Amino acid sequence: TLMATFAIYKCVISAIVDDVFVKNPTEHLTQGQHILESVLQNLPTATKITKSGEEKPCTTTILCNDQNIHVWHISDPKDVTLTNEQQAPYDADHFPPCYAIFDNREDIGLLAIEKRSDAFSCNPDKLRDILEKLISKEMYQYHLKVELNIKKQVGEFWDIIRENQR
C-alpha cells in the first residue's frame, strides 16, 4: 500500500496595520488563534477558478472538528474532456478530493495538505492559496490576516536523514 504524501504549512497570524482609519490595528492580535478557530469551525465554501475561467465551489466534507484539529476532504472542481462510445468528445465535471488537516492547537498552527496527482494539479500550494485567501477574508474584519508558509527542513543532507530516522 502507498502512503499518502502531505505538504506541511505553518500558519502565521498577523495584524493588518496599513489602514489609517483604525486606531489600534493590533488589538485583536492576542486573540488571533481563537478568532482563527471560530473561522475554521464555520469555514465558508472555498471556490476555484477552472481553466475555462469559471468560478466553481470546492466540495468540502468535514470529517473532524475536535479540540482545535480540523480534518477536511476537499474536492477540486475540474473541467475534463471525455469521449463517449462513438469517440465524440464531451465536457464533464470531475471532482478529485484530497485531505487537508489543520492543527490549530496552542503554539502549533500547522496545515497539512495531501499531495495527489489528480487533485489541484498535484500541487498542494494551489489549495493552500485558496484556503489562505478564504481564511484571511474572514479575519479581515478583525484587522488580521493569515499566511500559510511552506515548512522545509534546512540543513546538511545526512543530518536531515539521521534526524528523520530518529
Side-chain angles (χ1 to χ4, degrees):
T1 62
L2 293 173
M3 298 282 294
T5 304
F6 287 83
I8 309 294
Y9 303 89
K10 180 69 177 164
C11 177
V12 178
I13 302 169
S14 58
I16 301 171
V17 294
D18 57 358
D19 190 343
V20 294
F21 299 106
V22 177
K23 290 181 182 175
N24 185 4
T26 60
E27 74 176 302
H28 296 292
L29 192 55
T30 57
Q31 295 298 312
Q33 188 172 12
H34 298 292
I35 294 168
L36 174 60
E37 182 59 28
S38 68
V39 169
L40 296 175
Q41 288 282 345
N42 305 294
L43 194 67
T45 301
T47 58
K48 177 190 168 197
I49 306 294
T50 61
K51 63 182 171 186
S52 66
E54 188 180 348
E55 186 174 16
K56 290 192 175 178
C58 299
T59 306
T60 303
T61 304
I62 299 168
L63 301 176
C64 174
N65 275 351
D66 189 32
Q67 298 178 14
N68 295 12
I69 297 176
H70 307 270
V71 181
W72 304 303
H73 213 218
I74 301 176
S75 71
D76 176 15
K78 292 175 129 177
D79 298 327
V80 293
T81 302
L82 304 173
T83 53
N84 61 17
E85 297 84 23
Q86 291 78 32
Q87 301 303 308
Y90 66 96
D91 290 331
D93 289 333
H94 182 54
F95 298 95
C98 70
Y99 288 100
I101 304 164
F102 205 118
D103 187 342
N104 191 39
R105 290 177 293 175
E106 194 71 36
D107 298 325
I108 295 181
L110 293 176
L111 170 65
I113 299 175
E114 182 183 19
K115 186 176 185 179
R116 285 190 49 164
S117 61
D118 57 348
F120 299 97
S121 305
C122 196
N123 185 355
D125 286 352
K126 289 184 178 184
L127 180 54
R128 182 267 323 257
D129 293 345
I130 291 169
L131 291 173
E132 184 178 75
K133 182 178 174 184
L134 180 66
I135 294 168
S136 286
K137 182 179 175 187
E138 292 296 307
M139 295 183 72
Y140 184 80
Q141 63 185 316
Y142 300 101
H143 311 290
L144 298 174
K145 66 179 178 179
V146 165
E147 291 178 71
L148 300 170
N149 301 319
I150 188 79
K151 284 186 64 88
K152 295 182 181 181
Q153 279 186 297
V154 178
E156 292 297 317
F157 177 79
W158 287 110
D159 292 340
I160 293 172
I161 297 296
R162 282 188 281 277
E163 182 65 32
N164 286 338
Q165 287 175 332
R166 272 188 246 130

